[in-house]
């Protein structure tokens, strides 16, 4: 039984799962569009990891930077690549604290969005999704809850017409 064991294993051991989350976070922070494509399960597992990093980046102090570097591990010092394919002096950690953290300064949480795609992954037909960062000032769209069906009271039965005679209305036979 897996009581009180939260999270998906994703077919990996603990070290591999951590590396997966770090690499998904790196890919999301490095992408110019702020959006990556992955499986739904991986996106749901990476979301809390990424949102905790952004919360640290919002704090912006030295201790938060060191905590984020420890959580990202060697991925934190990866340099970003520009459009021409050349390395820049900007690292993942620097972009996280200088660009992404201040963007969500006034937001209390919910920095990412998962959008399921209709296209399946080639090979095993796994369900894919976009994992994206929200834009500045953007809010998550909540679908309006569908209203419950209206319950109406049944109308009271109309009294029998005056034309019926008492002989026609005989009491039911006792069985």
């Amino acid at each position: 039984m897996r009581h009180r064991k939260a999270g998906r294993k994703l077919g990996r051991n603990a070290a591999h799962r951590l590396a997966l989350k770090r690499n998904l976070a790196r890919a999301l922070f490095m992408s110019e569009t702020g959006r990556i494509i992955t499986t739904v399960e991986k996106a749901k597992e990476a979301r809390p990891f990424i949102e905790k990093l952004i919360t640290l980046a919002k704090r912006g102090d030295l201790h938060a930077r060191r905590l984020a570097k420890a959580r990202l591990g060697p991925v934190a010092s990866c340099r970003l690549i520009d459009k021409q394919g050349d390395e820049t002096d900007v690292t993942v950690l620097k972009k996280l604290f200088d660009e992404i953290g201040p963007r969500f300064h006034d937001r209390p949480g919910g920095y990412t969005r998962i959008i399921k795609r209709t296209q399946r992954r080639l090979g095993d037909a796994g369900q894919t999704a976009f994992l994206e960062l929200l834009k500045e000032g953007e809010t998550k769209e909540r679908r309006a809850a569908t209203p419950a069906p209206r319950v109406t009271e049944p109308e009271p039965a109309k009294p029998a017409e005056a034309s019926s005679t008492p002989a026609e209305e005989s009491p039911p036979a006792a069985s």
Side-chain angles (χ1 to χ4, degrees):
M1 288 184 273
R2 295 193 67 228
H3 295 297
R4 299 181 58 149
K5 298 194 183 319
R8 295 168 180 84
K9 288 191 174 184
L10 300 174
R12 293 159 171 80
N13 60 22
H16 195 175
R17 275 194 305 274
L18 179 60
L20 173 76
K21 291 176 190 178
R22 287 173 172 172
N23 286 328
L24 286 173
R26 177 192 51 83
L28 183 62
F29 297 150
M30 288 177 69
S31 70
E32 294 177 12
T33 59
R35 170 186 276 197
I36 59 171
I37 297 173
T38 184
T39 63
V40 175
E41 293 77 15
K42 287 178 187 177
K44 286 181 178 182
E45 279 301 304
R47 173 191 260 175
F49 183 79
I50 291 168
E51 292 200 357
K52 287 173 188 171
L53 288 171
I54 294 172
T55 302
L56 286 172
K58 281 174 46 177
R59 281 181 26 198
D61 58 351
L62 180 62
H63 184 60
R65 188 175 291 263
R66 287 178 175 168
L67 286 173
K69 184 172 181 174
R71 292 195 180 127
L72 281 171
V75 170
S77 59
C78 291
R79 296 189 180 275
L80 301 181
I81 297 175
D82 60 6
K83 292 181 181 178
Q84 290 80 22
D86 300 326
E87 280 190 0
T88 62
D89 60 342
V90 179
T91 62
V92 173
L93 192 65
K94 183 175 174 115
K95 182 174 181 181
L96 176 64
F97 276 80
D98 293 346
E99 295 176 25
I100 297 171
R103 179 165 76 182
F104 297 113
H105 186 348
D106 297 331
R107 188 174 184 85
Y111 316 113
T112 59
R113 175 188 299 142
I114 296 174
I115 302 172
K116 293 181 182 177
R117 300 175 66 215
T118 57
Q119 293 92 354
R120 296 280 186 145
R121 187 170 60 183
L122 290 176
D124 64 351
Q127 191 176 11
T128 58
F130 290 113
L131 176 61
E132 65 180 14
L133 292 172
L134 295 179
K135 306 287 187 260
E136 184 154 1
E138 187 178 11
T139 60
K140 284 189 178 182
E141 297 172 3
R142 293 281 179 177
R143 287 187 234 154
T146 56
R150 186 172 296 206
V151 178
T152 58
E153 294 288 328
E155 293 183 18
K158 294 183 181 179
E161 293 185 24
S163 65
S164 63
T165 61
E168 291 175 352
E169 297 178 11
S170 60
S175 32

